[in-house]
Every structure is written in structure tokens, then in C-alpha cells.
Amino acid sequence: MKKIIIINGPNLNLLGKREPGIYGAQSFEDFYAELKTKYEAFELSYFQSNIEGELIDKIQEVGFSYDGIILNAAAYTHTSVGIGDAIKAIETPVIEVHISNTYAREEFRHQSFISPNAKGVILGFGLQSYELALQSFL
Ligand code: DQA
């Protein structure tokens, strides 16, 4: 069974409540529960943190044994050399995801320290971005 982890960065714990016009009305916990039932073929896990170093620790912890990381680094996408370097340092492939189409938003969201080191990028499909990323491991 393939081991896949979803890693969510800052403020994504507020999904469902946070700017629902951009990020939707569903909480990540509800969406994740649905995903787990639908994709029983994967050993799926989930980690969220608002703290950059905790995200780096988790990437390092899983990055030599898991089959895939689905990463929404949220705002750290646009600022974190450290998360970019962590992805470079590990062996597990990383799929970068975003709920919104970051290229249709403010210019500071057009920069990503994740993309150059990711296997692929999926963005703009709402929470479905995570599902499409998961399907890439089928
Ligand atoms: C986001 C896009 C980022 O620019 C933003 O800071 C987020 C969420 C997304 O999933 O659309 O927090 O990563």
C-alpha cells in the first residue's frame, strides 16, 4: 500500500471559516474524511501546522520512507527558502497543491519556492486539487 501524506501549512486549519469566497465552505477535516473513504488503496495521513519549522521537521521525517507528499505550504509557498530546501533534500516526490489559482491573485502569490523542487503542481481546483494530486499516485 502506498504511503501518502497531505501536509498543510499556515491558516489551512481554518478552512471552511476562512475567506469562504476563495477557499470554500468545507472544513479540511470533513474533506479529508471523505478522501480517506474514497481512496482506501492508499495509506493516507494528514499533518497541519502554522509553524514553518514544524513543516520542515515533518517533511524530513517522512521524506525518506513515504511514497508521496501532497504539500500545500500556503503562505510559506511564497516566502520559505527553508521548505524549498527541505524538498530538495528528501527522496519522496512532492506534489505542490493550492486551493485557489495563485496566478489569478496578487503578484506576491506568483512566486513559489516549492514549484522548482516539486514533481508537479496542481492549483485552482478548490479542495479537488488535493484529490487530483492523490490520483497522480494511483
Ligand atoms: C493557498 C494560496 C496561498 O497564496 C495562500 O497564502 C494560502 C492558501 C491556496 O491553497 O490557495 O494560505 O496556498
Side-chain angles (χ1 to χ4, degrees):
M1 220 189 246
K2 280 189 184 164
K3 274 174 101 158
I4 311 286
I5 186 166
I6 296 173
I7 300 180
N8 271 346
N11 302 305
L12 292 172
N13 54 310
L14 294 181
L15 283 178
K17 291 186 207 135
R18 172 195 183 198
E19 299 181 271
I22 298 175
Y23 300 114
Q26 193 174 19
S27 75
F28 196 81
E29 286 65 26
D30 284 356
F31 171 75
Y32 177 64
E34 282 173 22
L35 211 58
K36 262 191 108 84
T37 354
K38 199 163 162 190
Y39 293 91
E40 283 177 334
F42 293 114
E43 200 179 311
L44 195 58
S45 54
Y46 166 55
F47 177 79
Q48 190 277 333
S49 177
N50 294 322
I51 299 164
E52 186 176 12
E54 285 186 3
L55 295 166
I56 294 171
D57 282 348
K58 183 53 81 174
I59 289 166
Q60 291 185 5
E61 182 192 315
V62 300
F64 296 90
S65 54
Y66 279 50
D67 299 294
I69 297 173
I70 297 171
L71 175 65
N72 186 349
Y76 289 139
T77 305
H78 318 300
T79 62
S80 180
V81 174
I83 295 178
D85 281 353
I87 295 166
K88 240 184 269 179
I90 59 167
E91 285 166 3
T92 300
V94 172
I95 312 288
E96 175 183 359
V97 302
H98 299 284
I99 297 163
S100 63
N101 177 356
T102 47
Y103 293 102
R105 301 181 63 194
E106 303 96 319
E107 197 147 338
F108 68 85
R109 295 185 204 275
H110 300 184
Q111 153 104 334
S112 170
F113 286 98
I114 313 300
S115 302
N117 311 308
K119 186 175 178 206
V121 184
I122 299 171
L123 55 89
F125 293 94
L127 287 173
Q128 205 197 343
S129 295
Y130 292 91
E131 185 170 357
L132 294 169
L134 191 57
Q135 285 172 354
S136 78
F137 291 106
L138 280 171

